């Protein structure tokens, strides 16, 4: 029998309570009051605690391994430590990037973020209202809210942060999609393209309708030819999108602008099935710049949306406007940039 001590594993028999770092200990270590620690760690310190002190408390809490007792806090304050993020399609990788950034910031404040899909559930806004009223969630960040849902959500008072809302008066964060689309058309026309198709995301969301209108307006401004066969819509399901893309590929266009990088992937697939080369026979441009854009071959030219910035900014606004009860200022307008890679070239 081998009596050698097993050093591969270490079992800690101490209890969770014995290991728990309290806010009082953090306050003592940082040499500040416990109320200051509570304000900082609850995300309510904006305008009440100096930036230097806030950073000191946050660093001290991280170093000591402080973890908030969420159940106790919720019972004590009557405030949920969960925030909802409502998006048009939870399967879309872009929203995964928004969620990751939002969850990272939320976790640092002792909160968590849950996803809600607004396309699959017609009564999603009513559900959000009920969750807020029952204190299941502290509030919600809503991406691409339609006007009717905005009216429903208004019953919650100041509990919602809006991104790319149809009612622009509600917007906290908006994107300058108009500029992004102008960059796309300038790029394609500079290469010599005049027959430019549009592969639309076939979802009843204002952001997609706005992008299509911006595209058609700019096509007219550039005095480019149009043909109804050059405008095709599809959902993101791969087989459906590939079939729809095939009709666009065969329509006579030399370049295709897609509402989303996922749709661009379907165009790649349709071109391969049709025996067309990208970019020699067909130029393709996407929208979002998700990681997949660089996995395609050739790498996809696409309009970049700063997903991580949106997630972080939205959570920051939530802590300031919703939990901090600050009055909302004018919306933040984020500029977009066309990232030119290898999926576009002059027409054959």
């Amino acid at each position: 029998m081998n009596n050698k001590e097993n050093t591969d594993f270490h079992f800690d028999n101490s209890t969770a309570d014995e290991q728990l770092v309290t806010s009082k200990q953090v306050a003592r270590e940082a040499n500040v009051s416990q109320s200051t620690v509570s304000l900082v760690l609850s995300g309510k310190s904006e305008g009440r605690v100096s930036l230097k002190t806030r950073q000191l408390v946050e660093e001290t809490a991280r170093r000591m391994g402080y973890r908030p007792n969420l159940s106790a806090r919720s019972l004590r304050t009557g405030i949920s430590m969960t925030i909802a993020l409502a998006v048009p399609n939870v399967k879309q990788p872009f929203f995964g990037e928004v969620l990751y950034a939002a969850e990272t910031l939320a976790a640092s404040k002792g909160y968590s973020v849950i996803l809600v899909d607004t396309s699959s559930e017609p009564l999603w806004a009513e559900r959000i209202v009920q969750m807020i009223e029952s204190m299941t969630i502290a509030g919600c960040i809503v991406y691409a809210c339609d006007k009717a849902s905005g009216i429903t959500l208004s019953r919650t008072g100041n509990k919602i942060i809006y991104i790319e809302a149809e009612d622009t008066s509600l917007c906290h964060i908006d994107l300058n999609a108009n500029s992004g689309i102008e960059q796309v058309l300038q790029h394609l026309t500079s290469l010599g393209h005049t027959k430019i198709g549009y592969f639309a995301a076939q979802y009843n969301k204002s952001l997609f309708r706005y992008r299509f209108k911006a595209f058609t307006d700019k096509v007219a401004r550039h005095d480019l030819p149009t043909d109804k066969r050059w405008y095709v819509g599809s959902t993101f399901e791969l087989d459906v999108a590939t079939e729809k893309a095939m009709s666009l590929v065969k329509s006579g266009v030399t370049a295709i602008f897609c509402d989303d990088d996922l749709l661009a992937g379907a165009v790649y697939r349709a071109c391969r099935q049709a025996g067309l080369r990208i970019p020699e026979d067909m130029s393709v441009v996407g929208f979002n710049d998700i990681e997949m854009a660089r996995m395609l071959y050739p790498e996809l030219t696409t309009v970049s949306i700063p997903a991580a910035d949106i997630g972080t900014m939205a959570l920051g606004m939530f802590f300031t406007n919703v939990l901090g009860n600050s009055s909302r200022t004018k919306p933040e307008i984020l500029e977009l940039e066309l990232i030119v890679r290898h999926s576009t070239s002059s027409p054959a």
Side-chain angles (χ1 to χ4, degrees):
M1 179 176 178
N2 187 351
N3 294 321
K4 184 179 179 180
E5 183 180 1
N6 186 342
T7 59
D8 292 335
F9 299 93
H10 172 69
F11 296 96
D12 190 345
N13 295 319
S14 58
T15 66
D17 287 340
E18 291 171 339
Q19 298 178 24
L20 188 65
V21 176
T22 67
S23 60
K24 184 181 293 185
Q25 290 171 316
V26 173
R28 187 182 305 120
E29 181 70 17
N31 196 27
V32 298
S33 68
Q34 189 175 359
S35 61
T36 296
V37 171
S38 297
L39 285 171
V40 172
L41 298 182
S42 65
K44 298 180 179 179
S45 61
E46 190 72 30
R48 305 166 77 177
V49 178
S50 71
L51 176 61
K52 183 178 180 180
T53 300
R54 189 161 71 245
Q55 291 174 337
L56 171 64
V57 171
E58 290 173 346
E59 174 55 33
T60 303
R62 278 193 297 269
R63 177 165 49 80
M64 296 180 69
Y66 173 80
R67 294 291 182 272
N69 187 330
L70 303 184
S71 298
R73 185 192 291 180
S74 295
L75 288 171
R76 183 175 66 253
T77 65
I79 299 173
S80 171
M81 305 305 292
T82 302
I83 303 164
L85 172 62
V87 301
N89 190 325
V90 297
K91 296 180 181 179
Q92 224 284 13
F94 170 79
F95 294 118
E97 294 181 28
V98 175
L99 172 65
Y100 181 81
E103 173 65 19
T104 299
L105 179 56
S108 73
K109 306 289 189 182
Y111 285 76
S112 59
V113 181
I114 61 170
L115 267 179
V116 175
D117 191 294
T118 63
S119 293
S120 61
E121 186 178 348
L123 298 178
W124 68 268
E126 187 64 42
R127 178 185 169 202
I128 292 295
V129 171
Q130 291 174 357
M131 292 171 75
I132 290 174
E133 289 178 343
S134 65
M135 293 186 295
T136 304
I137 58 175
C140 187
I141 297 165
V142 182
Y143 208 118
C145 184
D146 58 89
K147 288 184 178 179
S149 297
I151 293 172
T152 299
L153 293 172
S154 66
R155 288 159 40 196
T156 68
N158 185 31
K159 298 292 184 182
I160 310 290
I161 296 294
Y162 294 93
I163 307 169
E164 285 199 272
E166 183 175 9
D167 183 350
T168 55
S169 68
L170 295 175
C171 264
H172 294 82
I173 301 173
D174 209 351
L175 307 182
N176 192 351
N178 198 57
S179 171
I181 292 170
E182 176 62 27
Q183 292 175 57
V184 171
L185 286 176
Q186 286 185 1
H187 173 63
L188 292 176
T189 55
S190 71
L191 292 172
H193 292 280
T194 58
K195 298 178 179 179
I196 303 172
Y198 191 94
F199 199 18
Q202 200 167 10
Y203 294 92
N204 187 28
K205 293 296 177 181
S206 59
L207 65 91
F208 295 127
R209 293 194 297 271
Y210 175 79
R211 288 179 196 172
F212 181 64
K213 184 178 186 306
F215 175 81
T216 54
D217 287 348
K218 290 185 179 300
V219 162
R221 194 168 302 151
H222 282 269
D223 199 25
L224 296 173
T226 60
D227 188 314
K228 64 181 182 181
R229 296 174 302 165
W230 299 352
Y231 306 137
V232 175
S234 175
T235 58
F236 292 145
E237 285 74 23
L238 181 59
D239 289 337
V240 173
T242 302
E243 181 182 351
K244 296 285 188 177
M246 185 64 75
S247 65
L248 189 51
V249 163
K250 293 181 177 180
S251 68
V253 298
T254 61
I256 299 174
F257 175 43
C258 305
D259 249 342
D260 190 278
D261 293 343
L262 293 180
L263 294 179
V267 172
Y268 272 57
R269 196 165 183 244
C271 284
R272 190 163 57 247
Q273 292 176 7
L276 298 179
R277 300 164 301 166
I278 297 172
E280 293 86 353
D281 303 315
M282 183 69 68
S283 287
V284 184
V285 179
F287 206 103
N288 281 350
D289 195 25
I290 59 176
E291 192 171 10
M292 187 195 82
R294 289 177 289 117
M295 295 179 179
L296 293 171
Y297 183 80
E299 292 188 8
L300 180 66
T301 294
T302 184
V303 177
S304 178
I305 300 180
D309 290 347
I310 291 173
T312 301
M313 186 179 296
L315 254 292
M317 289 182 172
F318 187 89
F319 288 125
T320 300
N321 293 13
V322 177
L323 300 183
N325 293 317
S326 296
S327 58
R328 181 168 65 88
T329 57
K330 63 181 181 180
E332 290 283 347
I333 308 296
L334 299 182
E335 295 298 328
L336 307 183
E337 179 184 3
L338 177 67
I339 307 299
V340 178
R341 296 194 179 101
H342 307 297
S343 65
T344 52
S345 67
S346 298

